[in-house]
């Protein structure tokens, strides 16, 4: 069995996430994609705007689109001490439930992959997973990977190019603009019904330096 982990803030999950997940599953013959909302936002300088429960619920709704998609609570802050999670902890939890012959992948956008060198326990991460790296529109990578980061095994996922970001979705939601081109209908309904993303962007600063994945 081939499993891929897809972590993110998912604030909210959007069509870009779903498109790269589907393309990865189709091209690499993956059986299961775990969408794992993070408890706290790694490398981001502010808290998520929506609560963990709202972000998880939207991921759950979005995962209805494909039988290979599964919402995961592996990084639920209520289950993890101070809510701080490192990818290697999640990888090891999933790996411990797999058979030795099962393959484990990690789906990631090019922007996040470019920051690999600062990941916690990178040697173990590189040892345990193969990355699937999704190109992002307007994000041509110029990062030269060195050291452990250069040892990462990866498959480049080109040509999906859905120009959507969660930042743009939040901005449009705040302006009351229809979101149906950017997120699944059920997610757009959820955002509307729960009045999400009405605060100003950046109004809840993290108040501490970013930490490693
Ligand atoms: P924000 O705009 O708030 O920074 P985001 O849209 O980048 O959010 P995240 O939840 O931070 O969404 O992303 C989770 C993962 O999905 C990251 O690895 C990110 O690089 C990747 N990703 C997000 N949007 C796209 C997209 N349109 N195409 C390819 N990868 C994407």
């Amino acid at each position: 069995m081939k499993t891929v982990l897809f972590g993110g803030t998912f604030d909210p999950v959007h069509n870009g996430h779903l498109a790269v997940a589907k393309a990865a599953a189709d091209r690499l013959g993956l059986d299961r994609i775990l969408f794992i909302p993070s408890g706290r936002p790694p490398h981001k300088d502010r808290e998520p705007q929506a609560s963990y429960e709202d972000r998880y619920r939207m991921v759950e709704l979005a995962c209805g689109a494909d039988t290979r998609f599964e919402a995961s609570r592996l990084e639920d802050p209520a289950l993890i001490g101070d809510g701080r999670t490192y990818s290697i902890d999640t990888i090891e939890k999933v790996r411990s439930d797999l058979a030795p012959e099962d393959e484990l992948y990690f789906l990631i956008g090019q922007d996040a992959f470019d920051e690999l060198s600062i990941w916690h326990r990178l040697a173990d991460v590189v040892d345990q997973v193969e990355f699937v790296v999704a190109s992002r529109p307007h994000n041509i990578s110029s990062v030269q990977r060195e050291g452990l980061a250069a040892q990462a095994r990866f498959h480049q996922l080109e040509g999906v190019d859905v120009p959507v970001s969660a930042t743009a979705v939040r901005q449009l939601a705040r302006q009351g603009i229809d979101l149906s081109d950017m997120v699944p209908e059920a997610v757009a309904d959820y955002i509307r019904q729960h009045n999400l993303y009405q605060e100003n962007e950046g109004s809840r600063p993290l108040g501490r330096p970013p930490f490693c994945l």
Side-chain angles (χ1 to χ4, degrees):
M1 190 175 68
K2 293 181 178 183
T3 298
V4 65
L5 309 183
F6 190 18
T9 315
F10 299 126
D11 190 22
V13 63
H14 55 67
N15 290 345
H17 297 130
L18 299 175
V20 292
K22 181 176 182 326
D26 290 346
R27 292 185 203 175
L28 293 169
L30 306 172
D31 302 293
R32 189 164 72 122
I33 302 201
L34 297 183
F35 284 68
I36 311 171
S38 58
R40 284 197 191 164
H43 304 149
K44 295 200 174 180
D45 56 3
R46 57 168 189 80
E47 296 281 0
Q49 291 226 331
S51 68
Y52 176 83
E53 284 305 324
D54 282 332
R55 291 181 291 119
Y56 177 81
R57 184 70 192 122
M58 289 187 280
V59 163
E60 206 173 41
L61 290 169
C63 283
D66 193 305
T67 52
R68 297 166 296 185
F69 295 175
E70 206 178 298
S72 165
R73 283 194 179 274
L74 277 167
E75 297 187 5
D76 184 340
L79 307 175
I80 299 177
D82 67 353
R84 181 172 306 201
T85 43
Y86 293 104
S87 294
I88 188 59
D89 299 327
T90 306
I91 290 166
E92 287 180 341
K93 269 190 229 157
V94 174
R95 180 81 256 176
S96 66
D97 286 338
L98 297 178
E101 68 274 16
D102 289 338
E103 294 171 36
L104 192 55
Y105 296 83
F106 198 106
L107 177 58
I108 190 168
Q110 184 71 57
D111 53 323
F113 189 62
D114 284 347
E115 298 182 337
L116 198 61
S117 61
I118 58 171
W119 282 29
H120 181 57
R121 289 177 54 201
L122 182 58
D124 295 324
V125 174
V126 164
D127 185 50
Q128 301 250 4
V129 297
E130 285 179 38
F131 286 91
V132 183
V133 183
S135 308
R136 289 191 73 164
H138 318 302
N139 184 250
I140 308 298
S141 176
S142 56
V143 171
Q144 195 67 43
R145 284 179 304 118
E146 290 170 346
L148 279 171
Q151 292 172 28
R153 293 163 291 157
F154 69 101
H155 307 260
Q156 195 76 43
L157 191 64
E158 301 279 5
V160 182
D161 294 346
V162 177
V164 180
S165 70
T167 303
V169 174
R170 293 192 299 273
Q171 280 167 356
L172 294 187
R174 195 163 61 245
Q175 293 161 26
I177 292 171
D178 176 50
L179 301 176
S180 52
D181 286 344
M182 305 177 93
V183 299
E185 196 56 48
V187 173
D189 287 346
Y190 190 96
I191 291 171
R192 212 171 21 246
Q193 283 160 12
H194 294 80
N195 216 23
L196 299 183
Y197 306 122
Q198 300 305 308
E199 295 173 52
N200 286 334
E201 190 75 23
S203 61
R204 294 161 62 188
L206 206 54
R208 59 178 179 275
F211 48 85
C212 297
L213 277 164

Coordinates of all heavy atoms in Angstrom, one line a residue, residues 6 15 20 49-51 57-58 72 76-77 82 107 110 117 131 153-155 162 164 188:
F6 N -0.2 14.6 3.9 CA -0.3 15.9 3.3 C -0.6 16.8 4.5 O -1.8 16.9 4.9 CB -1.4 15.9 2.3 CG -1.4 17.2 1.5 CD1 -0.4 18.1 1.4 CD2 -2.6 17.5 0.7 CE1 -0.4 19.3 0.6 CE2 -2.6 18.7 0.0 CZ -1.5 19.6 -0.1
N15 N -9.0 24.5 -3.5 CA -8.9 23.7 -4.7 C -7.5 23.4 -5.1 O -7.2 22.4 -5.8 CB -9.6 24.3 -5.8 CG -11.1 24.3 -5.6 OD1 -11.6 23.6 -4.7 ND2 -11.9 25.2 -6.3
V20 N -3.6 19.1 -6.3 CA -2.2 18.4 -6.2 C -2.4 17.1 -5.5 O -1.7 16.1 -5.9 CB -1.2 19.3 -5.4 CG1 -0.8 20.5 -6.3 CG2 -1.5 19.6 -4.0
Q49 N -6.3 31.7 11.4 CA -7.5 32.5 11.8 C -8.6 31.6 12.3 O -9.3 32.0 13.2 CB -7.9 33.3 10.6 CG -6.9 34.3 10.2 CD -7.6 35.7 9.9 OE1 -8.7 35.7 9.4 NE2 -6.9 36.7 10.1
A50 N -8.8 30.5 11.6 CA -9.9 29.6 12.0 C -9.4 28.6 13.1 O -8.2 28.3 13.1 CB -10.4 28.8 10.8
S51 N -10.3 28.1 13.9 CA -9.9 27.2 15.0 C -9.5 25.8 14.4 O -9.8 25.6 13.2 CB -11.1 26.9 15.9 OG -12.1 26.2 15.2
R57 N -12.8 20.3 10.2 CA -14.2 20.0 9.7 C -14.2 20.3 8.2 O -14.8 19.6 7.4 CB -15.2 20.8 10.5 CG -16.6 20.6 10.1 CD -17.2 19.2 10.5 NE -18.4 19.0 9.8 CZ -18.7 17.9 9.0 NH1 -17.8 17.0 8.8 NH2 -19.8 17.8 8.5
M58 N -13.5 21.4 7.8 CA -13.5 21.8 6.4 C -12.7 20.8 5.6 O -13.1 20.4 4.4 CB -13.0 23.2 6.2 CG -13.9 24.3 6.7 SD -13.4 26.0 6.3 CE -12.2 26.3 7.6
S72 N -7.3 13.6 8.9 CA -6.6 13.0 10.0 C -6.4 13.9 11.1 O -6.1 15.1 11.0 CB -5.2 12.5 9.5 OG -4.4 12.2 10.6
D76 N -3.9 16.9 16.1 CA -4.9 17.6 16.9 C -4.2 18.2 18.2 O -3.7 17.4 19.0 CB -6.0 16.6 17.3 CG -7.2 17.3 18.0 OD1 -7.0 18.4 18.6 OD2 -8.2 16.7 18.0
P77 N -4.3 19.5 18.4 CA -3.6 20.1 19.5 C -4.2 19.6 20.8 O -3.5 19.6 21.9 CB -3.8 21.6 19.4 CG -4.9 21.8 18.4 CD -4.9 20.5 17.5
D82 N 1.4 20.7 24.0 CA 1.2 22.1 23.8 C 0.8 22.4 22.3 O 0.8 23.5 21.9 CB 2.5 22.9 24.1 CG 3.6 22.5 23.1 OD1 3.5 21.6 22.3 OD2 4.7 23.2 23.2
L107 N 3.5 14.7 0.7 CA 3.2 15.7 -0.3 C 3.4 17.1 0.3 O 3.0 17.4 1.4 CB 1.7 15.5 -0.7 CG 1.1 16.4 -1.7 CD1 1.9 16.4 -3.0 CD2 -0.4 16.0 -2.0
Q110 N 6.2 23.4 -3.4 CA 7.6 23.8 -3.6 C 8.1 24.8 -2.6 O 9.2 24.7 -2.1 CB 7.7 24.4 -5.0 CG 9.1 24.8 -5.4 CD 10.0 23.5 -5.6 OE1 9.6 22.7 -6.5 NE2 11.1 23.4 -4.9
S117 N 15.7 22.4 4.9 CA 17.0 22.3 5.6 C 16.8 22.6 7.1 O 17.6 22.2 7.9 CB 18.0 23.3 5.0 OG 17.5 24.6 5.1
F131 N 9.4 12.4 -0.9 CA 8.6 13.6 -1.1 C 8.0 13.6 -2.5 O 8.5 13.1 -3.4 CB 9.4 14.9 -0.9 CG 9.8 15.2 0.5 CD1 11.0 14.7 1.1 CD2 9.0 15.9 1.3 CE1 11.3 14.9 2.4 CE2 9.3 16.2 2.6 CZ 10.5 15.7 3.2
R153 N 14.8 12.2 -1.2 CA 14.3 11.5 -2.4 C 12.9 12.2 -2.8 O 12.1 12.4 -1.9 CB 14.0 10.0 -2.2 CG 15.3 9.2 -1.9 CD 14.9 7.9 -1.3 NE 14.4 8.1 0.0 CZ 13.7 7.2 0.7 NH1 13.3 6.1 0.1 NH2 13.2 7.4 1.9
F154 N 12.8 12.7 -4.0 CA 11.5 13.4 -4.3 C 11.1 13.2 -5.7 O 11.9 12.9 -6.6 CB 11.7 14.9 -4.0 CG 12.6 15.6 -4.9 CD1 12.1 16.4 -5.9 CD2 13.9 15.6 -4.7 CE1 12.9 17.1 -6.8 CE2 14.8 16.3 -5.6 CZ 14.3 17.0 -6.6
H155 N 9.8 13.3 -5.9 CA 9.2 13.3 -7.3 C 8.6 14.7 -7.5 O 7.9 15.2 -6.6 CB 8.0 12.3 -7.3 CG 8.4 10.9 -6.8 ND1 8.6 9.9 -7.7 CD2 8.5 10.4 -5.6 CE1 9.0 8.8 -7.0 NE2 8.9 9.1 -5.7
V162 N -2.7 25.3 -10.0 CA -4.0 25.9 -9.6 C -3.6 27.1 -8.7 O -3.1 27.0 -7.6 CB -4.9 24.9 -8.7 CG1 -6.2 25.6 -8.3 CG2 -5.3 23.7 -9.6
V164 N -4.3 29.2 -6.4 CA -5.2 29.5 -5.3 C -4.3 29.4 -4.0 O -3.5 28.5 -3.9 CB -6.3 28.5 -5.1 CG1 -7.2 28.9 -3.9 CG2 -7.2 28.5 -6.3
A188 N -17.2 26.3 1.1 CA -17.7 27.7 0.9 C -18.9 27.9 1.8 O -19.0 28.9 2.5 CB -18.1 28.0 -0.5

